[in-house]
Amino acid sequence: MGKKDVIIIGGGPAGLFSAIECARSGLRVLLLEKNADCGKKLLITGAGQCNLTQAGRVEDFLVRFGQKGKFVKHGLLTFSNQQFIDFLNREGLSTVIVENGKVFPRSMNAQDVLNLLKRLCRDFGVETYNKVGVEGIKKVADGFEVMADGVCYSSKYVIIATGGASYPQTGSTGDGYVFAKDLGHKIVPIKPALAPVKVKEYQLAELSGQSFPDLSYTLWREGKKMGDYRGPVLLTHHGVSGPGIINPSRDMQKGDVLKLNFIGESVDGARSHLMEILSTFPKKLVLTVVAYEGLPKRLVEKLMEQAGCALNVTCGQLPKEGRKALLRLLTEYEMGIKEVGGYALAMATAGGVSLKEVNRATMESRVCPGLYFAGEVLDVDGDTGGYNIQWAVSSGYVAAKAIADRVNGQK
């Protein structure tokens, strides 16, 4: 096999998309994937339906990447969500926008997305080797040597698109961090992101499946408030999940405390409101009055039990200590974090190749010329809802375009 213009390591959406764009520009491309086939993780996204991206303005994407919004801005503007949708539609894959602006293939089948990307790789002549595990990358005078299963492959440029460490059963086992570190890069310590939370001494397991579309809560660490959050929250058998929890899970750690406000107003406002209605209806059952605020009756019953209040007590009969305890549980229900879901449950990985060492305009390494990165291997993780796939293809496009411009400019 002759020397390639570029070798791409990893056959997920970032690797496949960068391969397509490089080959479309006339480059000789080799794609190495350690699994038996490409896109194994892509097939399980969106519960197998593949939430590709989000509709709306690109500018609205930036806040979905936390403090990394400045870094991803160039890539998302260079190859935007609308450009991605147009690309898919032009290539024969219809898309549909569902609730909250999420974009899916109209077939709601991730396999159709993968089939399209693989077909385009074939059509443009990408040479793809599956079941090839890369063992190391060496920088040489005229490019790189990539060792894989005892064979040395050479190229002028390399794109590392190996993904993160989440869902290791799909092949995302952090290989790219090792390659990048060996080539001189700093790796920001990784941890699970977009993960559910397990709660210590959890007392709401019997309410598993109960959801709250817009629940507010605060995060505390060693008695210090770390932040305010709001969003859809789901009670599970072991703790809490839902977008309102998993999106900011990157900020959480074992030992932290969540304080949930089930009423929806500020804590002080909620308590004043509850005090007012308890005083206004002295003959009504506390259970009836509180449940009338829109809370699930089973939840109110559970909180009353925890507050030591009888279920048949009226508002006028509610003792002062019981009232104080119930108000606290309704507005600042404490959940101690036992653990944030591990890599087997996390949809993304926080941490990765330091962004300080990568040119955001090209995705090229600042410490190893000719080396590029795309996707989750970088220290970038976005919210759930298609943002991470969009970043994968946008960063893959930017890396491919930068390499193609260099190669074609030298011809």
Side-chain angles (χ1 to χ4, degrees), residues 312-328:
N312 62 353
V313 68
T314 65
C315 295
Q317 296 170 334
L318 185 63
K320 181 179 179 181
E321 289 306 312
R323 183 175 69 247
K324 289 174 60 177
L326 181 59
L327 291 178
R328 177 179 55 81

Side-chain angles (χ1 to χ4, degrees), residues 96-117:
V96 61
I97 301 174
V98 297
E99 81 283 352
N100 300 321
K102 295 179 181 178
V103 180
F104 288 83
R106 186 170 294 277
S107 65
M108 304 300 279
N109 189 343
Q111 186 67 60
D112 292 339
V113 180
L114 179 58
N115 289 344
L116 171 63
L117 297 178

Side-chain angles (χ1 to χ4, degrees), residues 195-232:
V197 169
K198 289 186 178 181
V199 174
K200 292 186 292 187
E201 301 176 4
Y202 187 52
Q203 299 183 51
L204 300 180
E206 63 191 72
L207 298 179
S208 176
Q210 179 65 59
S211 62
F212 302 86
D214 191 30
L215 186 70
S216 62
Y217 66 94
T218 52
L219 174 67
W220 297 75
R221 183 172 300 151
E222 297 178 348
K224 181 180 179 181
K225 183 178 174 182
M226 305 302 292
D228 294 276
Y229 303 91
R230 192 182 195 105

Side-chain angles (χ1 to χ4, degrees), residues 10-11 92 118 128 147 152 186 202 229 242 252 303 333 359 376:
K118 288 167 60 178
T128 302
M147 293 299 301
C152 181
K186 176 184 177 182
Y202 187 52
Y229 303 91
M252 303 175 188
L303 298 188
Y333 188 90
N359 185 337
E376 196 180 349

Side-chain angles (χ1 to χ4, degrees), residues 117-280:
L117 297 178
K118 288 167 60 178
R119 175 180 66 77
L120 290 173
C121 281
R122 292 192 301 270
D123 290 349
F124 287 111
V126 175
E127 195 163 353
T128 302
Y129 289 179
N130 296 323
K131 298 183 70 173
V132 175
V134 173
E135 297 148 3
I137 307 171
K138 182 180 179 181
K139 184 79 169 79
V140 294
D142 59 345
F144 296 87
E145 291 179 348
V146 178
M147 293 299 301
D149 292 346
V151 178
C152 181
Y153 304 93
S154 61
S155 68
K156 182 71 173 177
Y157 303 101
V158 165
I159 300 177
I160 296 178
T162 49
S166 59
Y167 291 150
Q169 65 273 25
T170 66
S172 296
T173 52
D175 301 347
Y177 308 136
V178 178
F179 305 148
K181 187 175 181 180
D182 288 346
L183 290 167
H185 273 273
K186 176 184 177 182
I187 307 301
V188 176
I190 65 171
K191 62 179 181 179
L194 298 185
V197 169
K198 289 186 178 181
V199 174
K200 292 186 292 187
E201 301 176 4
Y202 187 52
Q203 299 183 51
L204 300 180
E206 63 191 72
L207 298 179
S208 176
Q210 179 65 59
S211 62
F212 302 86
D214 191 30
L215 186 70
S216 62
Y217 66 94
T218 52
L219 174 67
W220 297 75
R221 183 172 300 151
E222 297 178 348
K224 181 180 179 181
K225 183 178 174 182
M226 305 302 292
D228 294 276
Y229 303 91
R230 192 182 195 105
V233 173
L234 173 71
L235 300 182
T236 70
H237 287 292
H238 304 288
V240 283
S241 186
I245 294 292
I246 65 177
N247 283 336
S249 65
R250 64 172 78 90
D251 302 332
M252 303 175 188
Q253 62 186 42
K254 179 180 178 180
D256 288 351
V257 175
L258 304 177
K259 294 184 180 181
L260 279 60
N261 181 355
F262 292 108
I263 301 301
E265 303 180 35
S266 67
V267 171
D268 290 340
R271 290 189 179 183
S272 296
H273 174 67
L274 288 169
M275 285 288 291
E276 181 180 353
I277 62 173
L278 289 174
S279 301
T280 303

Side-chain angles (χ1 to χ4, degrees), residues 39 85-86 102 174 176 222 243 267 283 286 291 303 339 391 399 403:
I85 294 169
D86 291 343
K102 295 179 181 178
E222 297 178 348
V267 171
K283 296 183 179 181
V286 172
L303 298 188
E339 69 173 306
W391 167 244
I403 294 174

